Amino acid sequence: MYVKDSEGSGMYSEWASLSSLIQQSNEESQSVLGKFPMVAGKDVAMAVVKQLSSNLGLTQQAECSPLATDREVQWCMEVICFGLSLPLTEHDTIRDCVNVYCEWLSALHPVPKICVPRPVCEDPNLYARKMINHFHNLFKPRKGEGPDVINRQAVLCHRVLRTLQHLTQLSSTLTRETWEALLLFLLAINDTLLAPPTIKDDVGDQLCERVLSVLFEVWLLACFRCFPSPPLWKTFRETCMNWRHRIALIEQWNRVNLALTARLLEFMYGSAFPELKIPEEDSQLIPNNVSADCIAQSWFRFMHCLGNPVDLCRPATISQTQKFLQFAITSENVVDPCQHPCLSNLPHIFLKAIKGVAGQVDAFLGVAQPFTWDEGSINEREKKEGASSHPPSATHSPTPPPQRRLAKSFSVAPSAVTKGIPKASLLGLTSSRASATTHPPSTPNSGPSSTSTMLSLGHDSRSPLAPTRPKCNSILHMFGEWLFEAAYIGCESSHPGKTGPVKSEANMNKRPSSLLLDSRKGSLSLSQPGSLTDDPDIPPALTIDKYEAGRAEALGALCRIFCAKKTGEDILPVYLARFYLAMQQGLKIPETRECGETLASILLNSADLFRLDLDGVQVLVPYVIEALEIVLPDKELKMKTPSGSKTELRRASIHLLLSMLVLPLHFQNLPIKELGNTGVSSSSLGSEKNPLTFAQLKPRLMNLLINALQVEGDPQNAQMLLGGLLLSVQDSAAAEEMDQITQLDVGPSSDTTSNLLSSDSAHALFVRATYLVCHRLISSWKTDLNVSLAALELLAGLARTNIKETVSQCWRPPQAHSKDLHSTIVAAFQCAAVWLVAHPYLLQDKEGLTTVLEVVELGISGTKSQGKPSEPIKMKDEKELKPASMRVRDAAEALLTVILEQVGYFPSPCGAESLSSLLDEVSLLRHCNSWIGGEVTREMAVERFRYFVVENSTILALLEEPLGNDQDPQPTVTVLIRGPSGRHAWTMQLRHLPRHKSGTKYHAPNPGRPVPMSDVGVKHDVKHRYFPESVDRIPQCKVDKSIPSLDSFINSEGGSAVHHHLLQVIEHQSSLEDAAGNAPNTSAPLTALDSSKPGFWQDLEALDNISSRTCDTVHIFYVRAGQKTPEEILSNVVSDQSVHPNFLEFLLSLGWPVNVYQHPGWTGHISTSWRVMTPPQTGSADLHPNNHGGSLYNGETHVLYWADASSEIAFVVPSQHFSSDHFSSFERSISDGSNRVYNIRTSDKPRTLSLDLDKQACPTMPSNSGGFESGRRRPGTSRHPLASHTNTKVFVVWIESFEDHLHFPLSELLVTVSTGQKGSGLPRPQDRDCFVIFLHSLHNGLMRVKLQGPTGRMSLATPLVDGMLSATTCAPKAQSTRNDSKVSIGLCIFFHASGIEEY
């Protein structure tokens, strides 16, 4: 049914036109009085009509008509017919004629008025048809009339139109002949008024909108009451094509099409499809009882009643009408019809038409944007509108006759029409019936506006596509021809030799009738409509560049259609070819380097272009990169539409950039085929001899990424770029490592390894990223929490710069301190710890080490020992502890612990699984010489140790027995040190000689004492004097005795009493000091513990089960296409035949497999974590055959594990035969004993900045991830009450079909996962608190990422960005404990999200 229309063909080619009847209507409206002189006819008409109007009841009570026979009525009608043709100076007579006919037409009402003649009541349809024909005289333009007179004529015409429209709504007796007469009359008066060229303020200009609205509304009503015949439809189409220079025609066409589309979606797709909201008065145009077949037939015919909308950009075609030709012949100034001034509005009309059709496409996709039809002139539009971005219109295809149903190949979904919306409300606003949310209105526009699209472009805020939307082929069958033709406007024609002939329709698809092929051409060409630039006489207002806005709408709509492709859906190759050619032309860069409307529309609407499995879409990569090089690196982007949101345009461009970053490393030296010589030439696109490869694009992509980040000012955009930059560094490093491994096989002459000095190497990118992020973090990002956190995730080797950033934050004034500021500082400390562990050589720099320790001091105490160089150094005991917050203090202490214990020593000899020693009391006792063998229990082992508490923070367990593995027993003390950083074992021996000198055995029973030395030297007695001896030889005088001696003062009067009082004071002070010295020291540095108390060894075991690292669990699921139930999903991983071939490889890249019973770290559940146990003899190995699909790692016997110095992550793959019931008994025991082991005063107020610490023992609290937090906190310093998000779950879901993420049963699967937290009193997590990372494998080997989680967090958790593409096989196969790029993606997502949650 899809055949390109031409002049002599189309859907009505077999039917005759009724245009001749429209011409004959002028003859039928002629009166016999016209044969007489005007004066005579006027006198008769005035006399007769005045008498007839007096009986109508308008000014006095109505009376019965005196006309009793048909002959009398027909005679009077001849007079009234002549009266309607009188000059407008006889306004009263014409008005009376109108009143008479309008009252007589009530004969078709259910209850006719009393003034209607009896013959008219007896045969109302016959007389109504005659009266309707006579009304034609009223609408004829009168020449030479002034504006006031024309306004009077317009008022009378409005009365007639209102009467006829009211008649069609009320009357149920209209016959088919009357309906056809009425429709022909409306076509005739519209053609009379609208066919001539537009003249401002004439009667046609004033009545244009009204006559068109009545025509479309009455025609639409006729479709439901008496469906017009094909000849009428053909006539309707032909006459409408004569009025296409009138903008009101396009507005009414859009209005009726939307009303029909709303009902069409409703009956085709049901209530689940997003609703298309229209004004209430428009929804009332279609009665509720209309059949679906009638709506479908009417919708299709109305859609094609204007012909090809792209003809609106062909002035020569629009002006090839009889009225325009007559005007050109009679005019002195216009030589060619296309030069009429009224055609200068064609670009605006073309834009409205394409926007209207674009709205249809958006409605079928379920993402229609808010818009209204009120829009100003084209100059106002150019000032207000941004880059356009809406779908184009339907294609020409012959409509089947009314007896046939609409072809079922066109699939669209139904939706109900919402009532009660005022006219000023938005048209095309979609909403899901399951949701009560509404969208804010946008700037008024004539169609789906580009501005609204830009405002909703943020990847999280864009309206989702309807799940039941039609296939892309179905939409393109209907609208593709117009869209492609509009997209090629102004393009240079392709050379015939550059595009090969298209294969026969039968060989290309099973539906050959669906192909859009011009029968006159054998190749895909960029044929443009009417070469406007070839004619030098075209007015400047009609040059081809004036149609760019409409072309941008078409290209934007095409992008949205192709980006709506579903998983597994096939698009016809001919559509893909035409789309790629149109994109190639639209992405051309102008010489002015400005971002035009077309380029902006493409970028705004193609964010998902490379995330779909579109065949051959990679040919567009070079052109898209060239376009992004215009938009992203320029901070002051030059745009032709300055009102467009540059931020949203940059965000859409960033989405495209992120989806292309992985292509060079994935496809490497694969050449990119050229699209043919279509006028696009650039040195960056390669040539036939030297084709461009994907690897050559990497430097451009990296430069684009760095430059974009350097000028980006929007926080959300900056976070997206940071995520892409971090992923690029990781991918480049992993790829170079792979090259180094494979180079051993290739040989030294291979050039596959990237040069270290190359601008796009991992090393160079590392350095550039380091410099840029450091600079911006210190200068412009430090005030933004989210950007600072994203930047800190990316830091590599930034210890010194990052710490200086922390200093500047801590020194900010108290009023500037906030929760966000402290979160940034804490993240900086954590980042510094990670990188110092990874790069210990950073602390070898003296200045760097000093800076690190100064910042740690600042974080712990709140001040530095030496502020400014001129200030004196303040010692530790002189400083007052006032940290910025307790979170900052804890983070600084954690960094200091890492520096002292982990930097340069991680992983420990025990491996990354544990930071603590695996030795405990039981294992040490088994190695003692005194142990005779047998079973050792924890209670027995504890009795052999002595326990002390040091500084109220560290527990010492002392064993004063030599170990049996020492061949030379010496006095030995073995100590187990339990502190905030874990458990550590040390052995101390009393040796008289160093170990290197103790090889010679000394068997003497007593080594003897040292021999005393007899030479003790000479002792000199020296009397010390205060003054030299010469003082005694100087004679004294009276002055020397002026100051009395102490003895004389005591013996004097009054001196003895003072002396006695002073002695009492001294004695009292001495007694107080003695009492203070004899008091017990409450702050003794060493306190002994009584290990014989009941429950001591249980508490000690509970303490050992507290990890010093954060412990998190990620659950991984595999969803096959179409699965929606938990049972189906959990059963997929039982066999490797049910999962993707790369799924198991992906699992192994996350971490290394560990046995939960022999693993000393976190296992995903408390019952098996931080302990080594004997595996139960349950035969569970039989449940996991070698060909499992991941069920081995369900936590029963094995999990996947990853850890660094500060965190542990267990990756668990839940399966059907192993659920959370496995741990139910353990959880009950935890719940029973929680009050004893973890007795925390939850009613206490959370601590503030006070550092006053109690002296009682402090129990610990379970952490938010199933593990336990550090036990270094003291009583009175209990943590803040647990927030609702502390029990957050993280899921990684591999989906075969991308659309399945909409139906993932999250709430049902939550009950199948458990980490043993029920005993800790934490609430069960809700769906809204869960983080889900969906991974969808594309056919080209890349992985598409979809993030779902709490609003405002998950979509920007770097390094992944919602919607970006990632490589799946870029890490070397031989890996031990390091993670590849895929692991970095998941871990950084998790750490970033959990960091925001905690802080």
Side-chain angles (χ1 to χ4, degrees):
M1 74 182 205
Y2 192 86
V3 178
K4 195 174 182 180
D5 283 337
S6 59
E7 293 294 335
S9 62
M11 67 178 82
Y12 310 113
S13 59
E14 299 180 359
W15 301 94
S17 175
L18 302 181
S19 300
S20 58
L21 296 181
I22 296 179
Q23 303 298 329
Q24 294 176 5
S25 63
N26 293 329
E27 300 177 1
E28 294 180 1
S29 61
Q30 298 296 325
S31 171
V32 67
L33 291 180
K35 305 294 184 181
F36 299 95
M38 175 62 69
V39 177
K42 180 177 66 173
D43 293 341
V44 173
M46 293 177 61
V48 174
V49 172
K50 184 176 181 180
Q51 182 63 34
L52 291 175
S53 63
S54 63
N55 299 331
L56 300 178
L58 300 178
T59 57
Q60 59 186 7
Q61 187 176 1
E63 301 176 357
C64 296
S65 175
L67 305 178
T69 63
D70 291 338
R71 189 165 59 87
E72 294 173 353
V73 173
Q74 291 177 4
W75 185 86
C76 290
M77 291 180 67
E78 289 291 330
V79 176
I80 295 175
C81 178
F82 180 79
L84 291 172
S85 64
L86 290 175
L88 293 178
T89 53
E90 306 296 335
H91 175 265
D92 293 341
T93 303
I94 299 176
R95 181 195 59 200
D96 292 340
C97 294
V98 169
N99 291 336
V100 170
Y101 269 3
C102 289
E103 297 299 317
W104 284 9
L105 283 175
S106 66
L108 290 170
H109 292 186
V111 180
K113 294 184 178 181
I114 192 175
C115 62
V116 180
R118 182 175 54 82
V120 177
C121 293
E122 292 176 351
D123 194 359
N125 281 283
L126 173 63
Y127 287 100
R129 290 195 293 272
K130 291 184 178 180
M131 287 185 281
I132 290 172
N133 287 332
H134 292 171
F135 275 138
H136 188 273
N137 291 328
L138 176 65
F139 289 85
K140 290 181 179 179
R142 272 70 163 176
K143 295 183 178 180
E145 302 292 353
D148 294 338
V149 178
I150 293 178
N151 290 337
R152 292 184 177 184
Q153 181 186 9
V155 171
L156 296 177
C157 293
H158 279 293
R159 169 76 194 280
V160 173
L161 293 173
R162 184 167 58 251
T163 300
L164 294 177
Q165 191 171 10
H166 187 63
L167 174 65
T168 59
Q169 296 171 353
L170 293 182
S171 177
S172 58
T173 60
L174 290 177
T175 62
R176 172 169 288 275
E177 291 78 9
T178 305
W179 273 109
E180 291 184 355
L182 176 60
L183 296 179
L184 286 174
F185 163 74
L186 293 175
L187 290 177
I189 62 174
N190 275 274
D191 196 62
T192 300
L193 295 172
L194 307 182
T198 303
I199 299 178
K200 184 174 178 58
D201 293 333
D202 68 347
V203 66
D205 189 39
Q206 292 199 15
L207 290 175
C208 178
E209 183 177 356
R210 179 60 177 163
V211 294
L212 282 171
S213 64
V214 173
L215 170 64
F216 276 83
E217 292 176 13
V218 171
W219 199 286
L220 185 61
L221 187 61
C223 294
F224 311 140
R225 302 281 181 83
C226 181
F227 200 85
S229 61
L232 270 176
W233 281 105
K234 183 173 185 177
T235 308
F236 181 43
R237 184 172 185 269
E238 290 177 350
T239 52
C240 284
M241 294 175 68
N242 293 334
W243 318 327
R244 289 182 292 184
H245 58 287
R246 305 275 184 172
I247 195 171
L249 174 66
I250 307 301
E251 293 173 346
Q252 294 300 323
W253 181 64
N254 288 334
R255 175 171 170 251
V256 173
N257 284 339
L258 270 183
L260 288 169
T261 302
R263 295 296 297 274
L264 187 72
L265 298 174
E266 181 180 356
F267 81 79
M268 293 190 71
Y269 281 94
S271 59
F273 198 82
E275 181 182 6
L276 176 61
K277 293 184 179 180
I278 59 176
E280 182 180 5
E281 61 182 41
D282 288 350
S283 65
Q284 293 176 351
L285 295 176
I286 306 175
N288 294 327
N289 57 352
V290 180
S291 65
D293 185 66
C294 181
I295 292 177
Q297 294 290 338
S298 304
W299 174 84
F300 191 81
R301 286 167 166 78
F302 268 105
M303 182 63 68
H304 292 80
C305 68
L306 298 187
N308 187 353
V310 187
D311 286 342
L312 292 170
C313 64
R314 304 182 178 107
T317 302
I318 301 300
S319 61
Q320 287 299 318
T321 63
Q322 183 179 0
K323 298 294 184 179
F324 270 90
L325 293 175
Q326 291 177 358
F327 179 84
I329 293 174
T330 57
S331 174
E332 298 180 357
N333 299 327
V334 179
V335 178
D336 190 273
C338 67
Q339 295 182 347
H340 195 279
C342 72
L343 296 180
S344 62
N345 208 29
L346 279 183
H348 191 203
I349 299 174
F350 172 67
L351 175 62
K352 276 184 173 286
I354 296 299
K355 281 189 174 182
V357 182
Q360 305 288 316
V361 175
D362 278 344
F364 289 130
L365 294 176
V367 293
Q369 304 291 339
F371 61 90
T372 59
W373 299 118
D374 299 329
E375 185 177 4
S377 64
I378 187 169
N379 293 330
E380 295 175 353
R381 182 200 69 78
E382 291 177 352
K383 294 178 182 180
K384 296 180 180 180
E385 287 189 354
S388 54
S389 58
H390 281 275
S393 62
T395 62
H396 288 124
S397 49
T399 307
Q403 295 79 9
R404 289 171 49 194
R405 300 181 64 85
L406 186 64
K408 293 183 179 180
S409 62
F410 175 65
S411 55
V412 223
S415 71
V417 179
T418 301
K419 309 296 182 183
I421 304 177
K423 177 166 183 148
S425 64
L426 301 177
L427 298 176
L429 184 63
T430 60
S431 67
S432 175
R433 289 169 182 76
S435 164
T437 58
T438 57
H439 301 277
S442 64
T443 305
N445 215 315
S446 67
S449 70
S450 59
T451 304
S452 63
T453 299
M454 293 170 67
L455 291 177
S456 62
L457 181 75
H459 202 72
D460 293 332
S461 60
R462 286 185 299 174
S463 300
L465 296 169
T468 56
R469 63 186 179 274
K471 293 184 177 180
C472 297
N473 282 337
S474 299
I475 299 178
L476 291 171
H477 291 338
M478 291 300 303
F479 303 101
E481 181 75 0
W482 291 346
L483 290 176
F484 284 122
E485 194 170 352
Y488 291 140
I489 293 175
C491 299
E492 300 176 4
S493 300
S494 61
H495 298 279
K498 290 295 180 182
T499 54
V502 178
K503 297 180 180 180
S504 65
E505 297 176 359
N507 294 335
M508 293 193 66
N509 196 275
K510 295 180 180 179
R511 295 188 53 193
S513 60
S514 302
L515 297 182
L516 304 178
L517 295 176
D518 191 338
S519 58
R520 297 166 295 178
K521 300 176 182 179
S523 62
L524 295 173
S525 63
L526 304 182
S527 57
Q528 64 180 25
S531 181
L532 301 181
T533 56
D534 294 339
D535 192 347
D537 297 331
I538 291 294
L542 296 178
T543 54
I544 198 63
D545 60 293
K546 298 299 188 296
Y547 296 91
E548 184 182 3
R551 181 192 178 204
E553 287 287 344
L555 279 168
L558 282 173
C559 292
R560 288 196 301 280
I561 292 176
F562 282 89
C563 288
K565 174 185 174 294
K566 298 180 182 179
T567 304
E569 179 182 347
D570 293 328
I571 301 180
L572 292 177
V574 67
Y575 287 145
L576 291 173
R578 298 188 71 177
F579 174 63
Y580 295 158
L581 290 173
M583 288 283 288
Q584 179 197 45
Q585 294 292 323
L587 291 170
K588 290 177 61 177
I589 307 301
E591 296 180 358
T592 58
R593 307 289 291 180
E594 289 183 343
C595 181
E597 291 180 272
T598 301
L599 182 59
S601 179
I602 292 176
L603 297 179
L604 284 168
N605 291 278
S606 57
D608 296 331
L609 186 63
F610 297 107
R611 299 167 180 167
L612 308 169
D613 283 318
L614 291 174
D615 294 338
V617 72
Q618 285 77 18
V619 299
L620 296 178
V621 170
Y623 306 99
V624 174
I625 293 177
E626 277 199 327
L628 297 185
E629 289 172 343
I630 295 294
V631 176
L632 290 179
D634 193 353
K635 189 174 184 179
E636 301 297 333
L637 178 63
K638 298 179 181 178
M639 297 182 64
K640 289 186 177 180
T641 53
S643 62
S645 174
K646 295 182 181 180
T647 300
E648 296 300 330
L649 178 60
R650 292 181 62 86
R651 186 167 302 157
S653 302
I654 292 171
H655 277 293
L656 280 169
L657 175 62
L658 295 181
S659 62
M660 294 187 295
L661 291 177
V662 298
L663 298 181
L665 292 177
H666 184 72
F667 293 108
Q668 295 186 358
N669 293 324
L670 185 69
I672 302 176
K673 293 187 177 180
E674 192 177 358
L675 268 177
N677 190 2
T678 54
V680 181
S681 60
S682 175
S683 59
S684 61
L685 301 180
S687 61
E688 294 182 0
K689 295 182 179 180
N690 298 313
L692 186 67
T693 64
F694 284 95
Q696 295 173 355
L697 296 177
K698 186 181 177 183
R700 296 175 61 189
L701 288 172
M702 296 301 103
N703 290 334
L704 189 57
L705 182 63
I706 295 292
N707 295 335
L709 185 60
Q710 190 170 3
V711 301
E712 186 55 61
D714 181 73
Q716 183 176 349
N717 292 351
Q719 293 177 68
M720 295 168 61
L721 289 169
L722 286 170
L725 183 57
L726 178 55
L727 193 62
S728 298
V729 175
Q730 294 172 341
D731 283 350
S732 297
E736 291 182 7
E737 185 175 350
M738 173 71 80
D739 290 343
Q740 293 174 2
I741 294 176
T742 57
Q743 185 182 13
L744 300 176
D745 300 331
V746 178
S749 60
S750 173
D751 58 354
T752 58
T753 304
S754 300
N755 188 347
L756 184 63
L757 301 179
S758 176
S759 61
D760 62 325
S761 65
H763 178 270
L765 189 58
F766 178 90
V767 174
R768 296 175 68 187
T770 298
Y771 176 81
L772 176 59
V773 174
C774 287
H775 174 72
R776 297 217 63 186
L777 186 61
I778 296 176
S779 61
S780 57
W781 289 344
K782 60 184 178 182
T783 58
D784 191 290
L785 170 66
N786 294 326
V787 180
S788 296
L789 292 176
L792 291 170
E793 288 289 343
L794 186 142
L795 291 178
L798 301 183
R800 186 183 306 173
T801 307
N802 174 46
I803 291 166
K804 289 180 179 179
E805 153 66 7
T806 307
V807 172
S808 65
Q809 297 284 32
C810 291
W811 277 115
R812 294 176 68 180
Q815 60 269 22
H817 283 232
S818 63
K819 181 179 179 181
D820 289 349
L821 174 63
H822 295 167
S823 298
T824 305
I825 298 174
V826 170
F829 276 119
Q830 293 176 343
C831 181
V834 171
W835 290 112
L836 288 175
V837 172
H839 306 284
Y841 57 84
L842 293 173
L843 293 182
Q844 296 176 5
D845 180 24
K846 180 180 179 180
E847 183 182 353
L849 178 60
T850 302
T851 305
V852 171
L853 296 180
E854 284 181 352
V855 174
V856 170
E857 177 193 15
L858 178 61
I860 294 177
S861 64
T863 58
K864 297 172 67 173
S865 296
Q866 184 173 9
K868 298 180 180 179
S870 59
E871 295 180 356
I873 297 178
K874 185 181 296 185
M875 305 308 293
K876 177 180 178 180
D877 56 345
E878 299 175 356
K879 294 194 301 182
E880 184 180 1
L881 295 182
K882 288 185 178 180
S885 71
M886 296 310 299
R887 292 193 297 133
V888 174
R889 175 178 177 267
D890 291 345
E893 289 180 348
L895 176 59
L896 181 60
T897 302
V898 169
I899 294 173
L900 297 178
E901 297 187 1
Q902 303 300 333
V903 174
Y905 300 100
F906 181 84
S908 66
C910 301
E913 290 85 349
S914 177
L915 298 183
S916 302
S917 172
L918 300 182
L919 297 175
D920 58 4
E921 285 84 352
V922 174
S923 58
L924 288 176
L925 191 58
R926 286 175 178 172
H927 289 86
C928 289
N929 292 331
S930 61
W931 188 252
I932 59 176
E935 186 67 23
V936 183
T937 64
R938 178 62 69 97
E939 185 177 6
M940 297 169 57
V942 167
E943 294 177 353
R944 304 288 292 272
F945 284 75
R946 298 177 63 190
Y947 291 88
F948 301 89
V949 174
V950 180
E951 296 291 344
N952 204 23
S953 62
T954 304
I955 298 178
L956 302 180
L958 302 180
L959 177 63
E960 298 180 283
E961 295 184 19
L963 300 180
N965 61 345
D966 196 333
Q967 301 301 322
D968 184 18
Q970 300 286 345
T972 304
V973 174
T974 303
V975 58
L976 286 176
I977 304 174
R978 289 180 171 91
S981 59
R983 182 182 64 207
H984 306 279
W986 291 86
T987 299
M988 292 166 282
Q989 290 182 331
L990 178 58
R991 287 182 172 273
H992 298 285
L993 293 174
R995 288 183 180 272
H996 68 279
K997 293 184 178 181
S998 61
T1000 303
K1001 299 296 183 180
Y1002 184 77
H1003 300 286
N1006 190 343
R1009 298 182 63 83
V1011 178
M1013 299 180 63
S1014 59
D1015 185 9
V1016 295
V1018 179
K1019 182 179 180 181
H1020 300 277
D1021 292 332
V1022 179
K1023 183 179 180 180
H1024 298 281
R1025 296 176 58 89
Y1026 295 103
F1027 301 97
E1029 296 179 356
S1030 60
V1031 173
D1032 298 336
R1033 295 192 293 269
I1034 300 175
Q1036 294 184 349
C1037 61
K1038 292 184 178 180
V1039 176
D1040 295 329
K1041 299 180 180 180
S1042 62
I1043 300 175
S1045 63
L1046 181 61
D1047 295 336
S1048 63
F1049 175 77
I1050 295 175
N1051 298 325
S1052 65
E1053 297 181 1
S1056 59
V1058 175
H1059 177 65
H1060 180 70
H1061 177 70
L1062 181 61
L1063 290 177
Q1064 289 180 345
V1065 172
I1066 294 175
E1067 291 176 358
H1068 181 66
Q1069 177 67 25
S1070 177
S1071 62
L1072 291 178
E1073 292 179 358
D1074 293 340
N1078 297 328
N1081 186 5
T1082 57
S1083 59
L1086 187 65
T1087 304
L1089 297 179
D1090 186 2
S1091 60
S1092 62
K1093 286 187 176 182
F1096 180 83
W1097 69 269
Q1098 292 95 333
D1099 292 340
L1100 198 63
E1101 184 177 8
L1103 180 62
D1104 287 339
N1105 288 336
I1106 300 175
S1107 176
S1108 60
R1109 297 180 287 186
T1110 60
C1111 313
D1112 302 299
T1113 305
V1114 179
H1115 294 88
I1116 305 172
F1117 298 91
Y1118 187 93
V1119 181
R1120 303 189 68 182
Q1123 290 184 342
K1124 299 180 182 179
T1125 63
E1127 292 77 11
E1128 295 175 330
I1129 294 174
L1130 293 176
S1131 62
N1132 291 331
V1133 295
V1134 175
S1135 173
D1136 58 358
Q1137 301 298 320
S1138 303
V1139 298
H1140 193 277
N1142 292 336
F1143 180 67
L1144 290 176
E1145 180 185 354
F1146 166 75
L1147 290 180
L1148 294 177
S1149 70
L1150 295 175
W1152 54 93
V1154 295
N1155 189 306
V1156 297
Y1157 297 104
Q1158 302 173 1
H1159 175 59
W1162 173 246
T1163 63
H1165 200 277
I1166 296 178
S1167 63
T1168 55
S1169 299
W1170 305 301
R1171 66 190 70 192
V1172 177
M1173 303 180 296
T1174 303
Q1177 302 298 327
T1178 58
S1180 58
D1182 298 336
L1183 300 176
H1184 307 290
N1186 294 329
N1187 60 344
H1188 68 89
S1191 60
L1192 175 63
Y1193 312 116
N1194 60 7
E1196 182 180 7
T1197 59
H1198 291 78
V1199 294
L1200 295 168
Y1201 179 81
W1202 183 92
D1204 62 7
S1206 60
S1207 60
E1208 296 177 279
I1209 296 183
F1211 298 91
V1212 182
V1213 185
S1215 60
Q1216 190 173 22
H1217 64 269
F1218 183 74
S1219 64
S1220 59
D1221 296 338
H1222 176 76
F1223 299 112
S1224 59
S1225 61
F1226 177 81
E1227 291 171 3
R1228 286 194 296 270
S1229 66
I1230 290 294
S1231 179
D1232 296 338
S1234 60
N1235 293 332
R1236 179 179 60 83
V1237 180
Y1238 312 111
N1239 184 17
I1240 299 176
R1241 300 191 302 268
T1242 57
S1243 61
D1244 292 348
K1245 295 182 179 179
R1247 71 179 182 185
T1248 59
L1249 292 180
S1250 174
L1251 294 179
D1252 294 335
L1253 307 178
D1254 297 341
K1255 302 302 181 181
Q1256 303 173 1
C1258 179
T1260 54
M1261 173 180 285
S1263 70
N1264 61 354
S1265 57
F1268 298 85
E1269 302 234 342
S1270 173
R1272 67 170 177 264
R1273 294 189 177 269
R1274 298 159 177 80
T1277 63
S1278 58
R1279 291 184 181 272
H1280 296 275
L1282 293 174
S1284 59
H1285 58 256
T1286 55
N1287 201 14
T1288 301
K1289 299 290 184 182
V1290 177
F1291 289 177
V1292 174
V1293 184
W1294 184 298
I1295 51 178
E1296 291 184 353
S1297 176
F1298 184 74
E1299 287 73 21
D1300 286 341
H1301 78 275
L1302 300 172
H1303 313 290
F1304 182 68
L1306 180 58
S1307 57
E1308 291 87 346
L1309 288 172
L1310 275 176
V1311 301
T1312 67
V1313 299
S1314 173
T1315 58
Q1317 291 181 308
K1318 293 183 180 179
S1320 62
L1322 296 177
R1324 181 175 292 276
Q1326 303 295 324
D1327 295 3
R1328 62 180 179 271
D1329 298 327
C1330 296
F1331 292 87
V1332 185
I1333 305 172
F1334 292 100
L1335 302 176
H1336 172 56
S1337 180
L1338 303 179
H1339 291 165
N1340 56 13
L1342 298 176
M1343 188 75 72
R1344 181 178 181 181
V1345 180
K1346 171 68 178 177
L1347 306 181
Q1348 175 180 310
T1351 305
R1353 293 185 179 181
M1354 197 58 181
S1355 62
L1356 291 176
T1358 56
L1360 287 189
V1361 178
D1362 187 16
M1364 77 184 311
L1365 297 183
S1366 173
T1368 59
T1369 56
C1370 61
K1373 305 301 180 184
Q1375 58 178 355
S1376 54
T1377 59
R1378 71 158 205 89
N1379 56 315
D1380 62 358
S1381 63
K1382 292 175 292 183
V1383 184
S1384 300
I1385 292 169
L1387 294 180
C1388 291
I1389 282 289
F1390 189 83
F1391 293 153
H1392 193 94
S1394 61
I1396 297 178
E1397 293 277 345
E1398 183 178 355
Y1399 299 113

